[in-house]
Amino acid sequence: MSLEKFMNEAISPWMRHDGPDSDIVLSSRIRLARNFSSQPFPTVARGEPLEEVLSFMDEHFTDSSFREYEGLQLVKMDDLQPIEKRVLVEKHLVSPHLIEDRENAATIISENEQVSIMVNEEDHLRIQLYFPGFQLDKALEQASQLDDWLEEKIDYAFDEERGYLTACPTNVGTGMRASVMMHLPALALTKQINRMTPAINQLGLVVRGIYGEGSEAVGNLFQISNQITLGKSEEDIVEDLHSVVQQLIEQERKARQTLMNRSPVQLEDRIYRSYGTLRHSRVITSKEAAGCLSDLRLGIDLDFLKDIPRTILNELMVLTQPGFLQQYAGESLDPEDRDIKRATLIRERINLEDDN
Amino acid sequence: MQCQRCEKYPATVHLTQVINGEKNEVHLCDSCAKEQGYMNQEEEKFSLNDLLSGLFHMEGSGSAGKLFQGNKQQQKESLQCSGCGLTYQEFTKAGKFGCATCYETFNERLDPILKRVHSGNTTHHGKVPKRAGGDLNLRRDIEKHREKLHQLINQEEFEEAAKVRDEIRTLEEELNQDKGGDS
Ligand SMILES: [Zn+2]
Ligand SMILES: [Zn+2]
């Protein structure tokens, strides 16, 4: 398979578009946890109840469309090879939890891959909607309408006092997790993000590194999301998140400006070294690649590097994950072979830009 | 405060027991509480790293104290969800509910847990589903109108207030019709 064709399949169509503030906010997501009132949750249910949920979803929503989210398709996890499942996780279309031996697990994905409805994860349904850039309000509005559309057919588990009933007490109430993925290289480089995290936590929001182990943020990518789901309205939760993200954007821009003013040559050097590494290395770990890609993206945002599309960071962060690498190779690879394949893929990707 | 049984270790378990109408305060250290059967062996196996399990553990042994009728352990063991068969013990161990009915079954024990997870909140203030919410949307709407009516009366804007009052009447009629339709 050619790299271009492979990339087209690998990158969700919505990811190719820029959104507001997309120099810093890569994507906005709303996730709603919902359950059928009549069936036990996947936490305890085995067999029949879960089968019923799955076949209900298949029957009512396969090949259906809601607005621009057309061509909904149900994909059963049991029908996929291990590498294909990993690929779905790496595209953030399903959670790692969904592919871990869950019974009757599936996901319903729209053609543009903005919508993904996980079936029989921890809850019967986990409705996810993605938007490029900083578009939390729009994501909430559309997710809520999608939710209404689903509710026309499904009897949700809902209680006047506790709200939407979920398997885990941490999700009850709105069942909503709103999150944004941010690229914060300057705040990370100046270690400001560590100082800001406690204050953000105080507001009931969580800052998490993406792709890294534990709290480490590989590629300077951070996810900011709400912790509390009960006692506040969806709009209030999103508003709180919105204002914190807005502040982080401003702080990141300031920090970038400061770096530019104080040590422009050092910054330029760092960016070009990373660019060189990506262009020429023959073996590269995912961690090193992520760091270099972050620098490369910063270089693009700061106009050091021209003619390279911004989305290269999102793209290559996904493409250089183990699942994708193995799919691209067409075989399973051990870690050392993956590091070689990763270097090759990145070189080819950057060369594509030279050809254009 | 010291443990009232061994008088050696600080009391970490605080309970108010009501037996035959008589109130009795109990303050024990962890190990005495275990020996006396206030905390059972299962609970001991909780992984402290697990945030949620930690929360549930706190519920039994935390400083907040709880009011229980009769023997705590007995009550815990007898509590089982009629919807999915999950026992309270299993619920605290896994930190997950088994079905919608679990929320009713364990309702009396949920407030402290929810408060800890959701910054003191225990009730939902967000979206109400169109069908599963029944007439809740309508009742909330009436509530909002009433608040507005109060405001307008306080501000002596009587003309506006009269309009809002009429709106409330219409909404209330709608609510009554819904109820009539159900029976
Ligand atoms: Zn003692
Ligand atoms: Zn239950």
Side-chain angles (χ1 to χ4, degrees), chain B residues 3 5-7 9 28-29 31-32:
Chain B
C3 169
R5 187 165 171 267
C6 66
E7 295 178 350
Y9 303 106
L28 298 168
C29 71
S31 62
C32 288

Side-chain angles (χ1 to χ4, degrees), chain A residues 41 43 122 147 161 166-167, chain B residues 96-98 103 107 118 124 127:
Chain A
F41 303 156
T43 41
E122 181 181 279
D147 179 45
E161 189 188 1
T166 53
Chain B
K96 310 271 160 127
F97 295 104
Y103 280 88
N107 186 40
H118 297 288
H124 178 54
K127 184 175 177 179

Side-chain angles (χ1 to χ4, degrees), chain A residues 40-41 43-44 122 144 147-148 151 154-155 158 160-164 166-167 169-170 172-173 228-231 234, chain B residues 52 95-100 103 107 110-111 114 117-119 121-127 129-132 136 139:
Chain A
F41 303 156
T43 41
V44 300
E122 181 181 279
S144 189
D147 179 45
D148 292 341
E151 203 226 341
I154 305 166
D155 289 318
F158 178 83
E160 217 176 294
E161 189 188 1
R162 310 293 192 191
Y164 290 93
T166 53
T170 55
V172 73
I228 293 160
T229 58
L230 185 67
E234 288 81 354
Chain B
L52 261 183
K96 310 271 160 127
F97 295 104
C99 74
Y103 280 88
N107 186 40
L110 291 187
D111 279 4
L114 294 175
V117 183
H118 297 288
S119 294
N121 297 319
T122 57
T123 51
H124 178 54
H125 288 287
K127 184 175 177 179
K130 291 205 165 65
R131 293 192 313 116
L136 183 57
R139 280 184 280 133

